[in-house]
Amino acid sequence: MTEPRRPSVGRPRAFDAEAALERAMRVFWEKGYEGASLDDLTAAMGITKNSLYRAFGNKEELFLRALERYDQGPAAYGRRAVAEPTAEQVAIAFLNGSVRATTQPDAPRGCLGVQGALAVGEPGCGAQQALSAWRNDGRTLLRNRFQQALDAGDLPEGTDPQRLAGYIMTVAFGIAVQASSGLSREELQEIADTALLGWQLQAKPPTAERLRQN
């Protein structure tokens, strides 16, 4: 992955780089990687293309910086969720956080990390790979936390942490897609609540023998 360019030494920039990066993040969040043109980005950031290149590198490098900012800001609910004391509370906090993050009244709908570069051409492959790695990191974060819960006896013996993490992540990503389609926060919260009704089933799926008995 290309390392972001360092700002050139010389006359101080005449703009707030952090504020400009925040606005770039929102453009990528709303339009996706390929949908966000340089004209869109520079107009939102209030800078020229030359200033963008000097401060952030090329478009892909700017996107990586924006994704990092998104991870530390709107998507930080994931790291907060895994700090919850029980596995069930982790799942609740993660899905509720997804609902809130994808329906902020002053931000684009949906999730930058899910919809930012799902279908791109060759120029967008770097962004697509970065988002795939970001999503995989989120699943690994959950899996490790559920493994910790299993080791501590907080989840029943036989629970598959990888499967459980995949379930929670898939529901969260579905919430993001539905948010971008216009579902309200209340509707999405109902989806999250319904998914959580199946927590015990997902935490320890019934064996074939138990299914036959039922």
Side-chain angles (χ1 to χ4, degrees):
M1 186 179 296
T2 305
E3 290 293 329
R5 298 178 188 172
R6 296 182 179 276
S8 58
V9 177
R11 188 174 60 186
R13 290 193 293 264
F15 66 93
D16 184 334
E18 290 302 312
L21 182 58
E22 173 71 19
R23 291 191 287 268
M25 178 193 75
R26 288 172 178 263
V27 173
F28 284 126
W29 189 352
E30 180 180 6
K31 296 178 177 289
Y33 180 78
E34 286 203 338
S37 69
L38 285 176
D39 286 341
D40 292 330
L41 291 163
T42 53
M45 298 166 78
I47 61 176
T48 66
K49 291 180 182 178
N50 285 339
S51 293
L52 185 153
Y53 294 139
R54 285 196 300 268
F56 300 104
N58 59 28
K59 179 182 175 181
E60 181 179 322
E61 292 166 344
L62 175 63
F63 180 79
L64 297 181
R65 291 277 300 277
L67 178 60
E68 181 181 6
R69 189 177 185 89
Y70 182 80
D71 179 65
Q72 295 172 354
Y77 67 85
R79 285 188 296 278
R80 292 193 296 269
V82 297
E84 293 290 333
T86 70
E88 186 169 12
Q89 287 173 295
V90 169
I92 292 170
F94 197 94
L95 293 186
N96 289 349
S98 176
V99 170
R100 291 192 297 270
T102 58
T103 57
Q104 296 181 51
D106 58 345
R109 305 277 294 189
C111 174
L112 169 62
V114 175
Q115 298 139 254
L118 288 178
V120 295
E122 183 64 29
C125 284
Q128 187 178 53
Q129 290 168 3
L131 288 181
S132 178
W134 182 81
R135 293 190 294 269
N136 289 337
D137 286 346
R139 182 170 180 170
T140 298
L141 185 71
L142 279 175
R143 183 197 66 201
N144 292 345
R145 178 62 183 86
F146 291 146
Q147 181 64 58
Q148 179 186 2
L150 179 62
D151 294 341
D154 180 40
L155 286 172
E157 184 179 349
T159 300
D160 184 344
Q162 178 76 5
R163 180 177 184 272
L164 201 55
Y167 171 68
I168 296 299
M169 289 296 289
T170 300
V171 174
F173 292 159
I175 286 171
V177 172
Q178 293 290 354
S180 69
S181 298
L183 265 66
S184 69
R185 176 172 290 192
E186 292 73 21
E187 291 171 314
L188 295 170
Q189 188 62 60
E190 288 179 357
I191 291 172
D193 293 343
T194 301
L196 289 165
L197 291 175
W199 171 256
Q200 291 299 326
L201 178 62
Q202 293 299 327
K204 189 178 182 182
T207 63
E209 182 178 355
R210 286 169 58 200
L211 286 173
R212 286 195 297 272
Q213 290 173 348
N214 293 334

